Amino acid sequence: MTVPIAKLSFWGVRGSTPTVDPATWRYGGNTPCLELMTPDGTQFILDCGTGLRMLGSRWAAPNGGKAAETHILVTHYHWDHIQGIPFFSPLYVENNEFHFYSFRSKFLGRDSLKQVFEAQMAMPYFPVDMSAMSAKRKFKEVDGGDSFKVGENKITAQWLNHPQGCLGFRIETSAGTVAYATDNEPGDAKLDENLRELAAGADIFINDAQFTPEQLETTRKGWGHSSWLEGAKVARKAGAKTLVLFHHDPDSTDRMVDAILRQAREEFDSVFAASEGMVVTLGAPGDRVQAHMPGTRTALRREAQFHAKVCGVTEGGKDFEEETMVRDISLQGALISLKHLPRLQSELQVTMEAPGADGLQTMKLRGYVVRIDAGAEKGHSAVGVVFTD
Ligand SMILES: [Zn+2]
Ligand SMILES: [Zn+2]
């Protein structure tokens, strides 16, 4: 007998608007889009932010993992959750079939999501209209409190606290339960209870962590979002096993998300910060919830042998220090002190040397000058380069 495994892929994790700032590359800049493959072979897509385009590009690849039908759950109609729709190429392929689930908005009335499709693609906002979308599309209205089955999976929708409404979804599969609750502000007793019901005993609880607890109490109060601290409290109260911090603020750099994650891990044992390309499997023997991070985006690697001292914290929370060899490193960029003043956006060749196990090692890299600042030493400039190959 094979063990039932569900696979959850994160295609977009950023809230509000996509970001292209290099300081946000590691966690990623695409807006919400998740894909869940359940053990019975059902393919779900959660939200249609700009991450959906990437999922669509992979669709046509060999072993793209495409199912015969796809079930798409849309939490609400804010731009960051629908913007990927016109750019999702499988919608333009006749044999594909999509089932969309979302709520009736009081601002749109019947067939709300269908109207959203039409409005997004109306002239002059998009070069082609809806008639170009040849895939089969079915729309189903879902209300808070509704439960229904897709394949062997049970879906429950609950209202969350967000301007113009937002649904959270709980998906119970034979491998475990995923609760997807983004775009929610705590503080409404009834809706807070809904959130706890969604998260109750969930193996994976994905929650809005856009703001810091300080912002949530002051400048961002009433904006419809939550913090890592609120997520940790709900996870604990509801008995969720793993918390995934999601919907990162567009102004949060990778370092800021790192800090948020560090603090959340002090409050709750099993926490991940959602990262574009991250894949979480559910139901495997041993660790029921396993996360796999993407390789670095630029994937620029050089084989090397550097002596290194590594300090860190073990799984059990103990500090450690260890001497080792680094055998493969990936490089994205460097800050170099130079007497010469290179032209901005020109190419530099950088050769690095380091003592290795068998003598001096050299590493040749081509870089692109992205910034020039006054250097710390007199007569030197601090040159920022991004390595290109
Ligand atoms: Zn959002
Ligand atoms: Zn929203």
Side-chain angles (χ1 to χ4, degrees):
M1 209 183 88
T2 52
V3 189
I5 289 179
K7 192 175 139 195
L8 179 67
S9 309
F10 290 76
W11 295 93
V13 303
R14 188 68 53 177
S16 306
T17 185
T19 59
V20 290
D21 178 345
T24 64
W25 282 353
R26 188 153 42 85
Y27 286 99
N30 279 301
T31 62
C33 180
L34 273 66
E35 178 193 21
L36 176 66
M37 294 295 290
T38 61
D40 66 339
T42 308
Q43 183 185 30
F44 290 98
I45 293 175
L46 307 172
D47 274 331
C48 299
T50 60
L52 185 64
R53 187 182 65 86
M54 313 284 288
L55 199 171
S57 313
R58 191 221 50 185
W59 208 273
N63 306 318
K66 173 195 160 329
E69 303 180 355
T70 305
H71 299 266
I72 304 187
L73 310 175
V74 178
T75 58
H76 64 306
Y77 307 112
H78 287 161
W79 276 114
D80 51 326
H81 299 257
I82 59 163
Q83 212 171 354
I85 292 171
F87 301 94
F88 184 49
S89 54
L91 278 172
Y92 300 85
V93 178
E94 206 172 321
N95 289 326
N96 293 334
E97 188 168 335
F98 295 96
H99 298 259
F100 288 92
Y101 304 80
S102 64
F103 66 88
R104 182 186 292 204
S105 161
K106 69 175 179 190
F107 301 94
L108 296 167
R110 264 178 80 93
D111 294 329
S112 288
L113 187 57
K114 217 169 155 192
Q115 290 187 53
V116 165
F117 268 66
E118 282 158 10
Q120 271 190 316
M121 297 180 75
M123 285 181 216
Y125 302 114
F126 199 69
V128 296
D129 68 16
M130 283 280 289
S131 62
M133 274 189 182
S134 48
K136 282 192 216 60
R137 299 180 304 275
K138 290 186 181 143
F139 295 90
K140 186 173 152 56
E141 249 173 38
V142 183
D143 201 351
D146 283 358
S147 262
F148 53 97
K149 284 201 104 173
V150 176
E152 293 166 8
N153 313 287
K154 184 185 169 197
I155 325 290
T156 306
Q158 292 286 4
W159 288 115
L160 298 175
N161 187 28
H162 196 60
Q164 298 102 45
C166 178
L167 287 176
F169 294 104
R170 174 184 172 93
I171 307 172
E172 293 169 46
T173 80
S174 58
T177 296
V178 175
Y180 177 56
T182 184
D183 295 59
N184 172 62
E185 179 161 351
D188 177 300
K190 171 76 189 71
L191 299 172
D192 287 352
E193 176 57 32
N194 284 355
L195 182 63
R196 284 193 294 274
E197 278 177 29
L198 284 172
D203 295 280
I204 302 172
F205 169 43
I206 301 148
N207 193 229
D208 185 331
Q210 179 154 358
F211 301 137
T212 63
E214 301 73 39
Q215 284 177 312
L216 189 58
E217 271 175 27
T218 57
T219 55
R220 298 289 184 263
K221 200 178 168 65
W223 286 37
H225 296 286
S226 192
S227 74
W228 62 266
L229 182 58
E230 293 296 326
K233 281 186 200 161
V234 174
R236 215 168 22 229
K237 229 175 184 170
K241 302 191 181 63
T242 292
L243 170 67
V244 178
L245 307 174
F246 188 71
H247 206 274
H248 307 308
D249 193 87
D251 287 334
S252 289
T253 61
D254 292 331
R255 294 244 169 124
M256 287 157 83
V257 179
D258 289 343
I260 284 170
L261 175 61
R262 211 166 35 240
Q263 293 173 76
R265 281 182 168 162
E266 282 168 21
E267 288 292 318
F268 194 71
D269 271 349
S270 181
V271 188
F272 294 105
S275 175
E276 211 170 283
M278 178 170 105
V279 176
V280 177
T281 56
L282 188 55
D287 265 344
R288 276 182 61 76
V289 175
Q290 293 174 5
H292 310 268
M293 296 300 162
T296 97
R297 241 155 254 268
T298 47
L300 188 67
R301 311 192 96 88
R302 285 293 182 277
E303 278 186 31
Q305 286 200 328
F306 296 109
H307 279 292
K309 190 161 89 177
V310 181
C311 307
V313 182
T314 65
E315 270 276 289
K318 283 212 172 85
D319 289 338
F320 77 92
E321 198 178 299
E322 184 185 332
E323 301 232 353
T324 183
M325 296 290 283
V326 173
R327 303 196 183 279
D328 176 321
I329 66 172
S330 83
L331 300 165
Q332 292 186 325
L335 195 65
I336 306 166
S337 173
L338 290 178
K339 277 185 273 188
H340 293 90
L341 196 64
R343 176 180 287 179
L344 194 63
Q345 296 192 318
S346 67
E347 229 173 53
L348 284 184
Q349 175 115 310
V350 182
T351 305
M352 282 186 267
E353 290 182 339
D358 354 286
L360 216 59
Q361 311 262 323
T362 61
M363 214 182 343
K364 263 194 190 147
L365 292 162
R366 220 199 313 257
Y368 190 69
V369 179
V370 289
R371 61 183 294 173
I372 300 169
D373 294 318
E377 291 167 81
K378 197 163 176 261
H380 282 66
S381 303
V383 177
V385 298
V386 167
F387 293 122
T388 51
D389 79 22

